[in-house]
Amino acid sequence: MLATTQEIDPRSGIAMSYPATGRMPRVSPAVIGTSFLGPHEPRATIVTANRDEEIVAQDDDATHCYLIVSGCVRTVRLMEDGRRQIGEFLFAGDLFGWEALDTHDFGAEAVTPVTLRRYTRRDLEQLVDQDRDVARQLREIASRRLRAGREHMVLLGRKAACERIASFLLEMAARTANGEQVIELPMNRGDISDYLGLTIETVCRRLTRLRLDGTIGVEGAKIAICNRHALGLAGSDRVVH
Amino acid sequence: MLATTQEIDPRSGIAMSYPATGRMPRVSPAVIGTSFLGPHEPRATIVTANRDEEIVAQDDDATHCYLIVSGCVRTVRLMEDGRRQIGEFLFAGDLFGWEALDTHDFGAEAVTPVTLRRYTRRDLEQLVDQDRDVARQLREIASRRLRAGREHMVLLGRKAACERIASFLLEMAARTANGEQVIELPMNRGDISDYLGLTIETVCRRLTRLRLDGTIGVEGAKIAICNRHALGLAGSDRVVH
DNA sequence: CGGACAGTTGAGGCCTATCAATGGTGGTGG
DNA sequence: CCACCACCATTGATAGGCCTCAACTGTCCG
């Protein structure tokens, strides 16, 4: 099922469908513009979700796809016995759900409160069929997701816990990319552990060790990268944005 | 670098470029036809590689992509200290290398002697731009690779060794798909372990245990699936073809 | 204030990796 | 033809890293 807390006037175009505050979502127009704006933007419905709310359920029919306007989303696979694997963390500007076949193989949940633009996959397909540039953009998005996925396979298959943590922090630092050395992680330790194939306890312990080493500073969700070189040695790999 | 043992007359079209035997590669026309044949098949060069030979080197410039005509290919990432992760095993009909950005993030090596059709990425891009149906096909290929990759992340991140083995055998059984209960694995134990994020020894031990359980039969590369239900319980997941 | 929850730390056990040895097989050359 | 070597697969012994279970702290909120 689709969980939407607010859904602003789906009938009227985009101009009318900003949140009730009347202000535009706080995201640079460039971010929206980078994906699928073009001359014929498909009809979008603004959707919001609260923290931990489900946006797409695992095995849902793949009727829609989503562009993140603001916030952080995780894609999730739950095994029958409760084991969980997070496929990726997605941020503003990221598109997800377009690549489903018949159903969504992973669910999608809000890590933070999120604002999304929802498109029907039919509309997106139509746009992609019509517009060569959009098609190219979508292929590039696919390439980047594939590359990021394989990078993550190396992490899950061959890296030790400390390397996973280091890689993760570098990845998040590259994404936040505000030039600062302090990053504020939007997700909790449980999300991190399910992304890295570890337990919460191991994540904590490794963070503590890195802190005692002087490599990072830890204060809850705020992580300061004190020694980027040391982190790179531990997690040496390629960050795929 | 590109390692090609034979490369038959790249200048003359496809008709001239079959191996020196004069016979066509032994692959059903349907297999070739499924991908990118259409009215304007891009120029292809037939390439062959022997067992363990490198087809694409990790970090190679992404100038070409490949369609497997026959044989088995592995995509490989090597870490600096020698740890290895295999991204996927590819078989006849599979296309790889098309999704590279500037360079190939994974190398590609022949698991068995392989025959490939090599296209320039430029030609492929051009074809995709021109032909809407081909573009759709490529999007579906991308979707399947993404889905398979995420499935593999669940395996690497959250499954125990016995589950990984079980999932792997079911995956290979689904691919070989000759309806028989005995599959002949083209890859050795080292390849399997680097695909599953395990060691060779663990792969062996788990295979032995499954054999003692009566779940499978093992005779070198030949694996007989005796109790599919038990395998499914151990590796319960979705095989993405 | 009490309860829920996230985060952290400790103790112990299990699973897998590591190191080592053996058997089998295929290729090679004396 | 067979000794020899290389390589793969298997099995054993041991160690280590991560998981599990548990306790404790701090924060938020009713």
Side-chain angles (χ1 to χ4, degrees):
Chain A
M1 291 301 299
L2 181 72
T4 68
T5 49
Q6 305 173 12
E7 189 162 327
I8 310 294
D9 198 353
R11 289 166 298 112
S12 66
I14 300 158
M16 293 297 293
S17 50
Y18 293 121
T21 60
R23 291 186 297 113
M24 290 189 35
R26 274 185 297 108
V27 70
S28 72
V31 169
I32 294 184
T34 46
S35 303
F36 314 116
L37 194 61
H40 9 61
E41 163 83 1
R43 284 168 303 176
T45 304
I46 297 291
V47 174
T48 65
N50 290 324
R51 193 167 164 282
D52 289 331
E53 206 173 340
E54 194 173 62
I55 299 160
V56 170
Q58 182 177 317
D59 301 324
D60 250 7
D61 283 340
T63 52
H64 295 83
C65 59
Y66 301 81
L67 176 67
I68 302 181
V69 175
S70 68
C72 176
V73 169
R74 59 178 178 252
T75 63
V76 178
R77 165 69 131 276
L78 218 52
M79 293 174 69
E80 295 183 2
D81 58 3
R83 282 177 286 180
R84 190 177 74 146
Q85 178 66 39
I86 290 181
E88 41 190 1
F89 291 113
L90 301 163
F91 298 91
D94 288 335
L95 185 76
F96 68 90
W98 61 272
E99 79 289 355
L101 293 165
D102 46 347
T103 60
H104 293 284
D105 55 339
F106 271 57
E109 298 168 356
V111 174
T112 64
V114 291
T115 305
L116 307 158
R117 307 182 67 153
R118 188 180 73 185
Y119 309 102
T120 67
R121 293 189 63 228
R122 184 196 312 268
D123 282 351
L124 181 65
E125 281 287 316
Q126 208 168 2
L127 174 63
V128 171
D129 274 344
Q130 286 166 4
D131 189 324
R132 188 169 299 177
D133 288 330
V134 172
R136 282 205 197 99
Q137 280 182 52
L138 194 60
R139 281 203 299 281
E140 178 165 339
I141 289 175
S143 292
R144 291 192 187 283
R145 291 344 299 150
L146 278 164
R147 181 173 281 216
R150 287 191 289 240
E151 206 63 50
H152 204 56
M153 280 187 217
V154 177
L155 181 148
L156 293 172
R158 286 298 176 220
K159 289 189 185 176
C162 58
E163 298 174 297
R164 300 187 196 196
I165 297 290
S167 294
F168 171 73
L169 293 178
L170 290 174
E171 181 187 347
M172 287 303 130
R175 292 245 180 143
T176 312
N178 51 7
E180 309 217 356
Q181 295 298 11
V182 178
I183 55 181
E184 173 114 22
L185 298 176
M187 70 292 289
N188 62 26
R189 300 293 191 264
D191 286 340
I192 297 172
S193 61
D194 285 340
Y195 180 56
L196 299 180
L198 300 170
T199 59
I200 293 178
E201 295 91 330
T202 298
V203 170
C204 278
R205 273 187 259 268
R206 292 295 150 177
L207 284 175
T208 300
R209 181 167 301 186
L210 286 172
R211 178 171 54 79
L212 296 178
D213 289 347
T215 308
I216 62 173
V218 178
E219 198 182 311
K222 275 197 276 293
I223 307 285
I225 296 179
C226 306
N227 188 342
R228 196 175 207 93
H229 180 66
L231 259 197
L233 289 181
S236 69
D237 61 355
R238 308 127 188 256
V239 173
V240 180
H241 207 148
Chain B
M1 291 301 299
L2 180 71
T4 67
T5 50
Q6 307 173 9
E7 189 162 326
I8 310 295
D9 198 353
R11 290 168 295 114
S12 67
I14 300 158
M16 292 297 293
S17 50
Y18 293 121
T21 61
R23 291 185 299 111
M24 290 190 36
R26 275 183 297 108
V27 71
S28 74
V31 169
I32 293 184
T34 45
S35 304
F36 312 117
L37 194 62
H40 9 60
E41 162 84 2
R43 283 169 302 176
T45 303
I46 297 291
V47 174
T48 65
N50 290 324
R51 194 168 164 281
D52 288 332
E53 206 172 339
E54 194 173 62
I55 299 160
V56 171
Q58 180 177 317
D59 300 324
D60 251 7
D61 284 340
T63 53
H64 294 84
C65 60
Y66 301 82
L67 177 66
I68 300 180
V69 175
S70 69
C72 176
V73 169
R74 60 177 176 253
T75 63
V76 178
R77 167 69 131 275
L78 219 52
M79 294 174 69
E80 295 184 2
D81 58 2
R83 281 177 286 179
R84 191 177 74 146
Q85 179 66 38
I86 289 180
E88 41 189 2
F89 291 113
L90 301 164
F91 298 91
D94 287 336
L95 185 75
F96 68 91
W98 62 271
E99 79 289 356
L101 294 165
D102 46 348
T103 60
H104 293 285
D105 55 339
F106 271 58
E109 299 166 356
V111 173
T112 65
V114 292
T115 305
L116 308 158
R117 307 184 66 153
R118 189 180 72 184
Y119 308 103
T120 67
R121 292 189 64 227
R122 184 196 311 270
D123 281 353
L124 181 65
E125 281 287 317
Q126 208 169 3
L127 174 63
V128 171
D129 275 345
Q130 287 165 3
D131 189 324
R132 188 168 299 176
D133 288 331
V134 173
R136 282 205 196 99
Q137 280 182 51
L138 194 60
R139 282 202 299 281
E140 179 166 338
I141 289 176
S143 293
R144 290 192 188 282
R145 291 344 298 152
L146 279 165
R147 180 172 281 217
R150 288 191 287 241
E151 206 63 50
H152 204 56
M153 281 187 216
V154 176
L155 181 148
L156 293 172
R158 286 297 176 221
K159 289 190 184 175
C162 59
E163 297 174 298
R164 300 187 196 196
I165 297 289
S167 294
F168 171 73
L169 293 178
L170 290 174
E171 181 187 347
M172 288 302 130
R175 293 245 180 143
T176 313
N178 52 6
E180 311 217 354
Q181 295 297 10
V182 177
I183 55 181
E184 173 114 22
L185 298 176
M187 69 291 289
N188 61 26
R189 301 292 190 265
D191 286 339
I192 297 172
S193 61
D194 285 340
Y195 180 58
L196 300 180
L198 300 170
T199 59
I200 292 178
E201 294 91 329
T202 298
V203 170
C204 278
R205 273 188 258 269
R206 292 296 149 177
L207 283 175
T208 299
R209 181 167 301 185
L210 286 172
R211 177 170 54 79
L212 296 178
D213 289 347
T215 307
I216 62 173
V218 178
E219 199 182 311
K222 277 198 274 294
I223 307 284
I225 296 179
C226 307
N227 188 342
R228 197 177 206 92
H229 180 65
L231 260 197
L233 288 182
S236 70
D237 61 357
R238 308 129 189 252
V239 173
V240 180
H241 207 149

